[in-house]
Amino acid sequence: MCTSLLAAENATADGSFLMARSADSSALKAQHFVIHERKTWPEGALYRTKDFDGATAFEYPYPREAMRYTTVPNWKTQLHGAVGFNEVGLGITGTESIFARDDALALDPYNVETGITEDDILDVLLPRCKSAKEAVLTLGEIIETIGAGEGFGVGFADANDLWYLETGTGHQWIAHRLAPDVYFASGNQGRLTDYDPNRADHLGSKTLIEWATDHGFYNPETDGAFNFAKAYTRDDDRDRVYNDPRVWSMQRQLNPSLFQKVDDGRNFPVYLKPEKPITVEDCKRAMRDHFDGTMFDPYSFGLHGDAPWRPISVFRTYEAHVLQVRPFLPAAIGNVIYLCWGMSDLSCFVPFYAGLSKVPAHFGKGTDQADDESVYWKWRKLQTLVMTDYITLAPIVKAAIADFEAETSKKQAVFEAEYVALVEKNPVQAQLLLDTFSFGVFKAAEDLAAKLLNQCFTLRTEGIQQKVFFANRQKKD
């Protein structure tokens, strides 16, 4: 269960493409950062999900020459790469779990035996696709021929375009290329509506409208223009409290003058022009949102999991990220993923440049059992402790993280300028500069997590001692 935000180039402050997503499942789902190097596969070699203990028995040919790419996968399978870039600058975030209508699924069910799922998408597309549109078409062809094993939405970015794809039923799909001046927000529901097969910025399955018409989910004579979400996706009371509030909150943040009823989700605009240009910090803020300070905030006034609206930032978030494409910079530093481990409200977004040649070994460690080495558990331990006294500890942690991110942003600007000045003259030294800078940021972030953990432990120790001190009459031992 996830939340997504995409912003096209003229809607952002610096002309970059932005895709942010918060991935939610279990707090015991440690995430790794993996660099997959280029590889030559033998003729006929197959990617098989079952070889990695994945969700289905999906199979697909490996590309003969697989490109280098990165993923942030699940510890147990090394699949479900939540986000990644490949060597030619294609970035993907996925997936946003969405749900088709039950009556439509009864006629065209998900292929739960051999269909493609979020486990597979990045590992199938990033080694072979060279553009966002090619990746959309490749995934679409897989959905039409093999089938989707579940409902999902996926974001695609390159130096020219930003696309978003949603599934309908098991073999139907739609995709939009975002207009340059808009953003798109989604929270576990089908949000795309318009589809015109003659438009260059619309793609979809070959029988998308025909199938809906033939089975009574769309009537051209009475329904007006075709509406994909209405024809194919679920819309009931579950959306009103679990999904709509998150979309409402993101649109409220970026368009504060827009008044909408929170339970009117089906009528929320699919795309909006932001009132102010969107920044990376805006995306981070969106991923950290939990209706802060309102009556719907489940943390700030004592923990309660029965809040009426489901927030974006939940404890069981296992990673969140902001993917940025800056075509005006060398791809090695222009393409960057800001990644945080665990609950985004209490974690630090750390930059991972696409040009990294390696990452620390312990970024590939961590399981469903806490340890002292993996970066995931270093942050998760802090978050777990803070949640035992959120009111006292969260402000301390959040202030320190904000300071760290602001200082890191300043350092990035200096580093990037140095890199640009150096890369054409001496690419080897530029690569060394990139790796050295990145490893320094990685270490500083982990040092911050350790420092905050000790600080919070000290405060909790003091607080517990005060409650159960059992002093004698002289207030001595």
Side-chain angles (χ1 to χ4, degrees):
M1 300 298 179
C2 306
T3 307
S4 297
L5 176 65
L6 284 71
E9 68 273 33
N10 292 346
T12 64
D14 62 356
S16 62
F17 297 94
L18 294 172
M19 299 196 297
R21 192 168 63 86
S22 175
D24 320 313
S25 175
S26 169
L28 300 173
K29 195 173 183 178
Q31 300 295 287
H32 298 174
F33 190 96
V34 178
I35 298 175
H36 306 262
E37 298 295 349
R38 296 180 187 179
K39 186 169 183 177
T40 299
W41 289 97
E43 194 70 35
L46 289 176
Y47 166 92
R48 289 187 288 257
T49 309
K50 281 300 182 185
D51 289 347
F52 307 94
D53 194 29
T56 70
F58 174 77
E59 296 183 354
Y60 201 73
Y62 277 115
R64 190 78 172 87
E65 299 294 333
M67 288 184 285
R68 183 182 192 269
Y69 67 102
T70 62
T71 58
V72 179
N74 177 9
W75 72 271
K76 191 172 185 179
T77 64
Q78 295 302 312
L79 296 176
H80 183 200
V83 63
F85 274 110
N86 69 14
E87 64 182 62
V88 296
L90 168 63
I92 301 178
T93 180
T95 67
E96 183 77 31
S97 297
I98 60 177
F99 304 91
R101 295 171 50 154
D102 291 338
D103 50 359
L105 279 178
L107 298 171
D108 180 24
Y110 297 130
N111 180 1
V112 297
E113 298 298 325
T114 62
I116 191 168
T117 71
E118 64 181 2
D119 276 1
D120 315 303
I121 291 172
L122 270 69
D123 288 293
V124 168
L125 300 180
L126 286 177
R128 62 170 25 90
C129 297
K130 296 183 178 180
S131 71
K133 183 176 181 179
E134 180 188 356
V136 169
L137 290 169
T138 302
L139 180 55
E141 189 269 341
I142 292 171
I143 295 168
E144 288 184 66
T145 56
I146 301 174
E150 60 191 356
F152 51 72
V154 185
F156 308 83
D158 60 24
N160 301 300
D161 293 319
L162 193 62
W163 285 84
Y164 193 75
L165 177 148
E166 291 183 342
T167 58
T169 51
H171 298 83
Q172 303 291 345
W173 63 278
I174 186 175
H176 282 184
R177 185 181 72 216
L178 271 67
D181 56 351
V182 303
Y183 71 90
F184 168 83
S186 182
N188 293 136
Q189 59 188 172
R191 294 268 296 132
L192 301 182
T193 55
D194 299 343
Y195 177 67
D196 180 349
N198 296 313
R199 286 180 56 169
D201 57 348
H202 286 186
L203 293 171
S205 45
K206 298 178 184 65
T207 61
L208 184 65
I209 297 177
E210 178 185 351
W211 189 92
T213 304
D214 290 346
H215 292 92
F217 301 114
Y218 170 61
N219 187 331
E221 296 181 0
T222 60
D223 293 343
F226 177 74
N227 183 320
F228 172 81
K230 183 179 180 181
Y232 281 98
T233 64
R234 189 186 76 188
D235 180 35
D236 59 28
D237 60 328
R238 291 168 289 187
D239 295 278
R240 303 294 81 80
V241 296
Y242 195 80
N243 303 331
D244 293 349
R246 287 177 282 155
V247 177
W248 173 85
S249 184
M250 287 185 283
Q251 292 189 341
R252 181 188 62 158
Q253 290 177 51
L254 299 174
N255 289 81
S257 67
L258 177 66
F259 175 79
Q260 300 181 115
K261 294 182 178 180
V262 73
D263 61 354
D264 194 26
R266 187 61 89 181
N267 293 314
F268 292 167
V270 177
Y271 301 107
L272 281 170
K273 297 180 181 179
E275 294 181 17
K276 294 182 179 179
I278 299 171
T279 66
V280 169
E281 297 307 313
D282 291 327
C283 293
K284 294 178 186 177
R285 191 176 305 113
M287 295 301 102
R288 286 170 166 148
D289 181 67
H290 50 86
F291 311 115
D292 307 45
T294 73
M295 62 179 291
F296 303 102
D297 185 339
Y299 315 134
S300 300
F301 307 102
L303 300 189
H304 58 104
D306 58 351
W309 296 347
R310 192 272 209 201
I312 293 173
S313 182
V314 291
F315 181 68
R316 60 186 175 88
T317 299
Y318 51 84
E319 67 84 21
H321 56 263
V322 181
L323 181 150
Q324 183 179 34
V325 176
R326 297 177 290 180
F328 45 86
L329 287 174
I333 61 168
N335 299 338
V336 58
I337 296 168
Y338 292 86
L339 177 66
C340 79
W341 310 97
M343 184 184 186
S344 45
D345 181 51
L346 298 172
S347 191
C348 183
F349 283 88
V350 176
F352 285 72
Y353 288 101
L356 269 171
S357 67
K358 57 186 177 181
V359 293
H362 64 283
F363 282 25
K365 297 182 179 180
T367 69
D368 60 347
Q369 302 294 309
D371 64 66
D372 295 327
E373 191 173 4
S374 68
V375 63
Y376 177 87
W377 278 107
K378 289 178 181 180
W379 282 101
R380 180 58 78 185
K381 286 179 181 180
L382 172 64
Q383 294 153 18
T384 300
L385 179 61
V386 171
M387 292 297 276
T388 67
D389 187 3
Y390 187 93
I391 295 171
T392 302
L393 302 179
I396 298 170
V397 170
K398 292 165 77 168
I401 288 173
D403 289 344
F404 177 85
E405 290 182 353
E407 186 62 27
T408 299
S409 181
K410 294 177 183 177
K411 292 177 180 178
Q412 284 182 262
V414 174
F415 151 70
E416 290 172 1
E418 293 176 356
Y419 181 93
V420 170
L422 181 62
V423 66
E424 290 190 8
K425 303 174 185 175
N426 194 330
V428 173
Q429 285 298 315
Q431 183 64 59
L432 178 61
L433 176 67
L434 192 161
D435 289 338
T436 301
F437 175 81
S438 297
F439 271 62
V441 173
F442 297 155
K443 183 180 184 304
E446 291 185 64
D447 289 346
L448 175 65
K451 177 182 177 181
L452 289 171
L453 181 66
N454 287 331
Q455 185 178 358
C456 290
F457 255 111
T458 301
L459 292 171
R460 289 297 283 134
T461 301
E462 181 181 17
I464 293 170
Q465 176 174 263
Q466 289 174 354
K467 289 186 177 181
V468 291
F469 192 86
F470 292 108
N472 61 23
R473 291 181 181 179
Q474 284 76 36
K475 303 299 180 183
K476 297 180 179 180
D477 292 349

